[in-house]
Amino acid sequence: MPSKHQLLPLFFLAFNLHSYSQNKPADTVKTNVLNEVIINNISKIDISNSRKISRKELLKNQSATLGETLSHIPGIQNSYFGPNSGAVVIRSLSGNRVRVLNNGMALNDLSGISPNLNLISDMDNLLGIDIHINDGNVLFGGRAIGGAVNLKDNTIPKQKAPKSISGFVRAEGSTNLGYKQSFDLNGNIGNKWVWHAGGMNRWNDDIKIPGNTKAPIAYDPKIDHLTADMAQVNVEKETVRNLTLYPYISQFVLEKMKDPQWDLSEADLYTFEERSFVDGAYVENPKNSLYIAGQPEGTPFSTTIVKSITDYAPVKKGTMPNSHANSHAVNLGTGYVSEKFNIGVGFRRSYGFYGIPGFALRTLPGHTHTHDDGYTHEVEGESVYLPINTKSESNSFLMESEYRPQNGGITAIRLNYMFQYAQDSEFIADYLANKFAASRQVVRVEVDQQSLKFLKGLSGADVSVANIDVKGEQRYLPDNKSREYGIFTLQQLAFKFLKLNIGYRHDLVQRRAMLTEGYKPSRGLAGGKLSDRDFHLNQFTSGAQINISTYTYWRGSYSHSERAPDVNELYAGNNHFAIILEENGDDRLNKETAKTIELEAGFNYNGLKLSVTHYRTMLDNYLYLAHTGMSRSGGFLVKEWRQSDTELNGWESEMAFNHKFSENLNMQLGSYFDLVKNVNVSGDDMRNWGEGDYMPNMPTSRFGFSAGIGFKKFEFNAAFDRYLEQRYLGKILTQNRLCLLIRCFLLGWAII
């Protein structure tokens, strides 16, 4: 979660080492920045609201996580689950509602199942990123109900390299955020074959921060028990009754206090009753000598005295606990490139081991102890709080091809395939709690229509098959399988001043869970039946853009999206250590539906761009992890997946100015603002009690400014972001201020 305001000065000079087969001096800009190529023709259809991030922008803005890298774009924020895990949040929607893809094919992104499972990516290997805000549902299915992020990489090169061998080697270091090395090499083999090799390595120790790692509310004597559980603190307190309010002492308690069958204590002595019923008769109660008559109305009957507040596990001021990270990535590929046909294969591997700034309770293994007299007995292990760690490994085998016949009404046909095997593990210190072994196969075919005078389009189909096997002593998911089949078409009519878009997609989604040894079904509303579920989903989008003049335009769109509940929403059960909750799914949940209206006005003249966007989304059967008001041992709040209607609306604005003063001097200025509200419109009594008028954990309204100057081969950039005080808070956030607790660590100033 962002702080109330945050100053991020980004001052840097980048120096790159380059290797070439020739001794001729090289232009670093031309060789360091690969040309961005069109992976597919999605970009040729200007659908609704999509954003393209170039390779050059990524080189300037890349961070430790994908969410943080893109967090300075209006409408997009970082989920922030510690400095090493951050997923993309689009207009308050994240996790299973934002699809992450690689060249149009779905990746094994498990951040929707557990937000600590970060997607490890090699930013230096990316040619660019396409961000689809409210327009990815037709192209990519229901999991893009909130949006989609398409990573376009260079693992399989799709054009000839500028030289027989070219590329860069880079080394970076930071006093706080660690060290990184990377390389990216590209070359040609003969006239038709090209190759690519790249990789990166990054690590950091525990991160230094100013002040405490927990917000002051964690040590406030007024802290309630739910907040104390989330903040992972022990509160030792004593409740003292105000005995001066009670006029009498119970004669019954006086006579029966020593009788064990009544289990009475001195706390039961004081009463407002004049008489007691003792042994079949009423008797007068003696007067309380401490009683003071005439006290003001509302005088409390008891006072709670907090004696101490201590952390479950020791934390050190100035150091974010368990914030270490180590990751690496390797990508290799080769391709055949000709005028009408491209085909290539590639391999991509990523690895990450990093800490989560939180702790979980674990009972250590016991041991057998033998005394001198030969008597042997078993000693139980100690229960201690240990840090939570995460390890992610992924291996992908890729095939991409494109045929461009240029006749028969077809411009291009693409057939892509990916097999991915990934293992994501959650540890309590070094003890394995959960392990997800996921295998995924994705096939996608796209066909570009031959552009007519007014019409162009894109149609296709995709299939995704995923199997997840779960192991570990603290499993919260059963073994499961998912099958997703989709077919889609997207068409555009373009006239001189008007563009009209329309698209439709149909999906079949199947979820299956298998009850295997080691998994205990959910104790939630569904009772853990693990029923098979099939969902038929329909996606629809339409839009129009009118160019009012050469410099101004108006755009409007409407979309209908449907999403099937994911495996954790249907089948989860038991303690989920990474989010410090007991998570319970419900296999009776229905599909989620979003209906969005969006309006935008824009201006573009001589390097100056201005835009203002307003949107409104009605979410039927919105899926959310609801509070039950209960907690169990170890500080685990009990939550259940439920559904209820929600309204989402907001505003976004952006200004950008780019001016080239000369061949060697360039200046960029930018600013943005966004506001989002996620409103409870269900009228559901349980939801009103648990969440209130707004959903918790919403992104904070914010604005920002940026400036950059480029002079020859040097660049200077600065950015300022301010997060406003949250006005629209869920009930749990308002009462317990969850966003200020241990999972909300910041890399800068925490001003609350």
Side-chain angles (χ1 to χ4, degrees):
M1 299 287 293
S3 62
K4 181 180 176 182
H5 57 77
Q6 190 175 24
L7 180 62
L8 302 175
L10 305 176
F11 307 111
F12 63 87
L13 294 175
F15 299 92
N16 301 309
L17 299 174
H18 302 270
S19 59
Y20 309 97
S21 60
Q22 302 177 17
N23 295 323
K24 180 181 177 181
D27 186 325
T28 56
V29 174
K30 292 182 179 179
T31 54
N32 181 42
V33 181
L34 293 176
N35 294 326
E36 183 172 351
V37 299
I38 297 176
I39 303 300
N40 50 53
N41 283 16
I42 292 173
S43 59
K44 291 185 177 180
I45 298 180
D46 303 321
I47 50 174
S48 298
N49 188 6
S50 61
R51 177 75 174 258
K52 296 182 181 299
I53 309 299
S54 69
R55 180 178 175 90
K56 187 174 182 179
E57 289 179 273
L58 289 174
L59 290 173
K60 291 192 298 182
N61 299 325
Q62 61 178 280
S63 302
T65 66
L66 181 61
E68 188 178 354
T69 298
L70 303 178
S71 63
H72 301 288
I73 298 172
I76 297 178
Q77 296 200 27
N78 180 21
S79 64
Y80 196 84
F81 204 81
N84 305 309
S85 182
V88 176
V89 179
I90 299 179
R91 294 176 175 174
S92 86
L93 301 177
S94 61
N96 295 326
R97 297 183 179 92
V98 175
R99 179 143 246 173
V100 181
L101 309 112
N102 179 255
N103 296 343
M105 294 186 290
L107 287 172
N108 181 58
D109 176 23
L110 296 186
S111 62
I113 291 178
S114 188
N116 63 302
L117 300 178
N118 186 47
L119 184 69
I120 308 297
S121 58
D122 182 2
M123 294 293 180
D124 289 320
N125 184 41
L126 294 183
L127 298 173
I129 298 178
D130 288 345
I131 304 170
H132 299 268
I133 303 176
N134 186 40
D135 68 2
N137 58 323
V138 166
L139 293 172
F140 307 120
R143 270 209 61 179
I145 193 171
V149 178
N150 187 24
L151 309 177
K152 302 184 296 182
D153 72 10
N154 194 44
T155 300
I156 301 177
K158 299 166 184 67
Q159 64 178 10
K160 294 192 67 176
K163 300 177 182 294
S164 58
I165 179 172
S166 62
F168 67 80
V169 177
R170 178 182 291 116
E172 302 175 16
S174 168
T175 57
N176 200 25
L177 295 181
Y179 307 91
K180 178 182 176 182
Q181 307 85 41
S182 61
F183 73 95
D184 187 288
L185 301 175
N186 301 274
N188 303 318
I189 305 174
N191 294 325
K192 301 293 185 180
W193 286 95
V194 291
W195 60 269
H196 164 81
M200 71 89 180
N201 181 53
R202 177 184 174 274
W203 77 91
N204 64 265
D205 295 324
D206 284 346
I207 294 173
K208 306 298 181 183
I209 61 172
N212 293 316
T213 59
K214 296 183 183 179
I217 187 66
Y219 306 105
D220 190 330
K222 298 178 182 179
I223 190 171
D224 60 81
H225 74 281
L226 290 178
T227 308
D229 287 342
M230 298 282 302
Q232 294 197 332
V233 292
N234 292 307
V235 181
E236 183 183 353
K237 55 188 176 181
E238 178 184 2
T239 301
V240 180
R241 296 177 67 187
N242 186 355
L243 302 181
T244 65
L245 292 172
Y246 301 90
Y248 302 101
I249 295 176
S250 171
Q251 184 64 37
F252 175 84
V253 176
L254 285 172
E255 295 183 14
K256 304 294 184 182
M257 186 181 297
K258 296 183 179 181
D259 189 342
Q261 73 173 2
W262 293 101
D263 192 27
L264 298 171
S265 67
E266 290 188 6
D268 302 306
L269 279 171
Y270 300 91
T271 180
F272 292 97
E273 303 296 329
E274 294 183 12
R275 298 187 301 169
S276 293
F277 191 76
V278 182
D279 297 332
Y282 283 98
V283 297
E284 297 294 329
N285 285 329
K287 293 184 178 181
N288 176 16
S289 62
L290 301 176
Y291 175 67
I292 300 175
Q295 296 188 60
E297 184 179 352
T299 301
F301 287 97
S302 63
T303 302
T304 299
I305 301 174
V306 175
K307 294 183 176 181
S308 66
I309 300 178
T310 57
D311 295 293
Y312 287 177
V315 293
K316 182 180 178 181
K317 183 177 181 179
T319 300
M320 186 182 297
N322 205 45
S323 55
H324 64 87
N326 181 17
S327 61
H328 65 252
V330 175
N331 39 84
L332 306 168
T334 184
Y336 175 84
V337 179
S338 67
E339 183 179 350
K340 289 190 174 183
F341 182 65
N342 287 17
I343 188 170
V345 295
F347 169 76
R348 182 171 55 240
R349 170 176 169 76
S350 63
Y351 169 88
F353 181 77
Y354 47 92
I356 301 298
F359 301 85
L361 182 66
R362 189 184 193 281
T363 301
L364 299 178
H367 67 277
T368 301
H369 183 74
T370 302
H371 295 269
D372 294 338
D373 59 3
Y375 174 71
T376 301
H377 66 98
E378 185 174 338
V379 179
E380 293 185 358
E382 180 186 5
S383 293
V384 296
Y385 282 90
L386 299 173
I388 299 171
N389 293 311
T390 302
K391 181 170 71 173
S392 296
E393 298 179 81
S394 175
N395 296 282
S396 301
F397 298 90
L398 316 167
M399 188 281 292
E400 298 177 2
S401 63
E402 181 177 61
Y403 174 58
R404 299 174 290 276
Q406 302 295 331
N407 55 50
I410 296 175
T411 303
I413 302 173
R414 288 174 296 280
L415 175 63
N416 297 340
Y417 169 80
M418 178 177 67
F419 172 79
Q420 186 177 42
Y421 180 75
Q423 295 186 86
D424 294 275
S425 304
E426 297 172 329
F427 294 87
I428 305 173
D430 296 327
Y431 299 97
L432 178 66
N434 299 284
K435 182 178 181 180
F436 304 93
S439 62
R440 179 185 299 270
Q441 296 187 71
V442 182
V443 178
R444 183 177 177 94
V445 60
E446 296 176 351
V447 178
D448 293 337
Q449 298 166 209
Q450 184 77 45
S451 295
L452 303 177
K453 185 175 182 180
F454 301 114
L455 178 68
K456 57 183 176 181
L458 169 70
S459 302
D462 52 35
V463 177
S464 175
V465 178
N467 299 329
I468 301 179
D469 297 328
V470 189
K471 298 180 181 179
E473 61 183 25
Q474 300 292 341
R475 296 176 59 180
Y476 61 91
L477 273 181
D479 293 352
N480 59 82
K481 298 179 180 179
S482 294
R483 305 289 184 269
E484 301 180 7
Y485 310 90
I487 185 169
F488 63 90
T489 186
L490 184 62
Q491 304 293 319
Q492 182 179 87
L493 285 167
F495 303 96
K496 185 175 182 180
F497 64 92
L498 176 65
K499 291 181 181 179
L500 300 173
N501 307 311
I502 188 167
Y504 174 75
R505 178 186 179 104
H506 182 75
D507 290 294
L508 169 62
V509 176
Q510 299 175 328
R511 308 285 192 217
R512 302 290 186 266
M514 291 75 71
L515 183 58
T516 55
E517 184 178 356
Y519 175 72
K520 184 186 301 182
S522 164
R523 289 177 283 180
L525 294 173
K529 296 179 181 178
L530 307 183
S531 305
D532 294 347
R533 298 298 307 275
D534 292 345
F535 300 90
H536 289 272
L537 310 176
N538 295 294
Q539 321 292 341
F540 172 77
T541 186
S542 62
Q545 178 172 317
I546 300 174
N547 296 321
I548 300 173
S549 69
T550 306
Y551 313 114
T552 59
Y553 68 89
W554 176 89
R555 180 179 62 81
S557 66
Y558 171 81
S559 67
H560 174 100
S561 306
E562 297 177 353
R563 179 179 76 89
D566 220 311
V567 291
N568 61 318
E569 296 160 333
L570 294 171
Y571 306 124
N574 310 312
N575 289 340
H576 187 166
F577 281 93
I579 57 176
I580 319 176
L581 295 172
E582 180 186 307
E583 179 181 353
N584 294 301
D586 187 342
D587 58 14
R588 304 167 301 176
L589 294 170
N590 298 314
K591 64 184 179 182
E592 182 179 81
T593 302
K595 302 170 185 177
T596 301
I597 296 175
E598 183 175 324
L599 300 173
E600 178 185 334
F603 174 81
N604 188 348
Y605 175 73
N606 198 25
L608 176 64
K609 296 181 180 180
L610 301 171
S611 66
V612 178
T613 304
H614 176 63
Y615 57 89
R616 179 176 178 271
T617 299
M618 286 299 302
L619 286 151
D620 299 330
N621 291 323
Y622 177 79
L623 278 155
Y624 67 102
L625 198 53
H627 291 266
T628 64
M630 297 185 295
S631 63
R632 306 199 199 277
S633 62
F636 285 84
L637 297 181
V638 180
K639 287 192 173 185
E640 296 176 336
W641 284 102
R642 297 175 186 162
Q643 288 186 299
S644 203
D645 295 344
T646 298
E647 179 185 285
L648 188 156
N649 58 76
W651 290 86
E652 296 166 2
S653 65
E654 186 174 17
M655 183 277 289
F657 178 70
N658 191 332
H659 184 71
K660 196 168 186 177
F661 293 95
S662 66
E663 185 68 25
N664 296 323
L665 182 62
N666 184 66
M667 181 183 71
Q668 305 94 33
L669 297 173
S671 67
Y672 72 91
F673 170 81
D674 60 26
L675 165 68
V676 60
K677 293 191 295 184
N678 201 326
V679 186
N680 173 9
V681 295
S682 64
D684 186 302
D685 291 339
M686 182 177 290
R687 181 174 175 185
N688 291 337
W689 167 82
E691 276 67 46
D693 294 333
Y694 300 94
M695 292 303 295
N697 302 321
M698 283 196 303
T700 306
S701 299
R702 59 188 180 149
F703 64 87
F705 302 95
S706 63
I709 296 177
F711 180 71
K712 294 185 177 180
K713 298 177 182 179
F714 298 93
E715 288 192 17
F716 172 87
N717 294 277
F720 170 84
D721 295 312
R722 181 182 175 93
Y723 292 85
L724 306 180
E725 182 178 358
Q726 286 189 314
R727 297 171 53 197
Y728 308 106
L729 298 175
K731 182 178 179 181
I732 298 298
L733 263 175
T734 303
Q735 293 177 351
N736 300 322
R737 302 175 71 187
L738 299 183
C739 69
L740 307 181
L741 303 179
I742 62 163
R743 293 201 297 272
C744 305
F745 298 104
L746 298 173
L747 298 182
W749 295 267
I751 300 177
I752 297 166

